[in-house]
Amino acid sequence: MLPVDAPEPQFPFVASIDCAALPEDATDLPLPADGHLLLFGYPDIESFASMGEVVHVPAGTAVEERERHPHSYTEIPEYRDICQAFPQGQLRLTTNVSLPYHCWTEIPEPPWSTPLPGHPRSEELRDVWLDTHGDITTDGPLQIGGYASEECPEVDPVAGVAYFAAEAERAGERAGSEVELKAPEDWVLLADWHPGITGREGATLHWAIRREDLAARRFDQAHVTVFWNP
């Protein structure tokens, strides 16, 4: 259900989050207090462009039903099969501890990476968390806020989102944007999605946004990357 005057989404529908159902301290994000946050995306394993979008529908907004997936995705058999395999059903909230899954920061000269600033033993800490988090947390297909995770968790996926967003803006994909380019630390994770689709095993979508854009409810500035470890 989208606002009557909203443009057609460019990507398939993934999930709708009822913001009013989220306890205030459930995430580290200043999410809207009401309405629904709609996530759209596609696990494209070849594109480096943003592969998703976010729409906030405030409570009381006049809405209308739209097609779940754009025609461009239903007309091509490969895309259609993937879209039809999207997990269905209701999501139930569980609040868990979230700690970093990554241990390196990329740098522009050899050795090209370094331990997290202030944490010279960050790789050991990461390994301890990977060994123990299964006994502490419960995994689900969709994570809201916290630290991003994927199959190869050496560097922060949010930093990767910030890099690709900057490259897209330099290339003009976000033409007309008045938002100044920000460093990776100015970005936060909105959501991670592990679809678990046959043929896309190990794929993860990361929705991230600048802190100031989130505070200003500029969800159209969110950027989405896809990680896949075949």
Side-chain angles (χ1 to χ4, degrees):
M1 305 299 289
L2 283 170
V4 174
D5 59 350
E8 292 294 328
Q10 299 181 45
F11 298 93
F13 172 73
V14 173
S16 175
I17 300 167
D18 183 354
C19 296
L22 299 177
E24 289 186 8
D25 58 352
T27 80
D28 56 341
L29 303 174
L31 294 174
D34 62 22
H36 287 78
L37 203 62
L38 308 184
L39 303 179
F40 300 85
Y42 182 79
D44 192 319
I45 56 179
E46 298 179 352
S47 175
F48 291 100
S50 181
M51 290 307 301
E53 55 195 308
V54 181
V55 176
H56 177 235
V57 183
T61 301
V63 295
E64 63 182 8
E65 187 174 0
R66 308 288 185 89
E67 292 294 331
R68 183 176 292 266
H69 306 311
H71 291 297
S72 59
Y73 284 86
T74 57
E75 292 176 350
I76 302 175
E78 179 185 359
Y79 290 176
R80 183 178 61 248
D81 292 345
I82 293 295
C83 290
Q84 290 177 345
F86 277 21
Q88 304 297 312
Q90 290 189 328
L91 295 170
R92 299 295 184 183
L93 175 68
T94 300
T95 304
N96 282 314
V97 174
S98 181
L99 293 175
Y101 283 83
H102 55 281
C103 54
W104 299 340
T105 296
E106 294 181 329
I107 54 178
E109 64 273 336
W112 310 115
S113 62
T114 184
L116 295 181
H119 296 274
R121 303 182 69 177
S122 57
E123 189 167 5
E124 295 175 52
L125 291 171
R126 190 279 311 268
D127 290 343
V128 171
W129 176 235
L130 289 177
D131 289 339
T132 59
H133 84 279
D135 297 324
I136 300 171
T137 67
T138 54
D139 291 330
L142 185 72
Q143 173 184 318
I144 306 170
Y147 289 95
S149 67
E150 57 190 25
E151 265 198 21
C152 298
E154 274 70 36
V155 296
D156 185 1
V158 174
V161 176
Y163 169 80
F164 285 117
E167 290 298 304
E169 292 187 3
R170 291 191 184 97
E173 286 191 22
R174 295 290 177 86
S177 172
E178 298 179 357
V179 180
E180 181 183 356
L181 295 180
K182 297 295 182 180
E185 57 268 21
D186 294 316
W187 288 71
V188 293
L189 178 74
L190 269 179
D192 272 349
W193 180 43
H194 306 271
I197 295 173
T198 300
R200 292 292 189 275
E201 296 89 344
T204 306
L205 271 71
H206 305 288
W207 286 263
I209 191 171
R210 299 175 182 88
R211 297 177 190 274
E212 63 183 38
D213 288 330
L214 176 57
R217 306 292 186 253
R218 293 190 291 257
F219 289 104
D220 62 320
Q221 294 299 313
H223 195 91
V224 184
T225 59
V226 180
F227 172 86
W228 187 49
N229 181 32

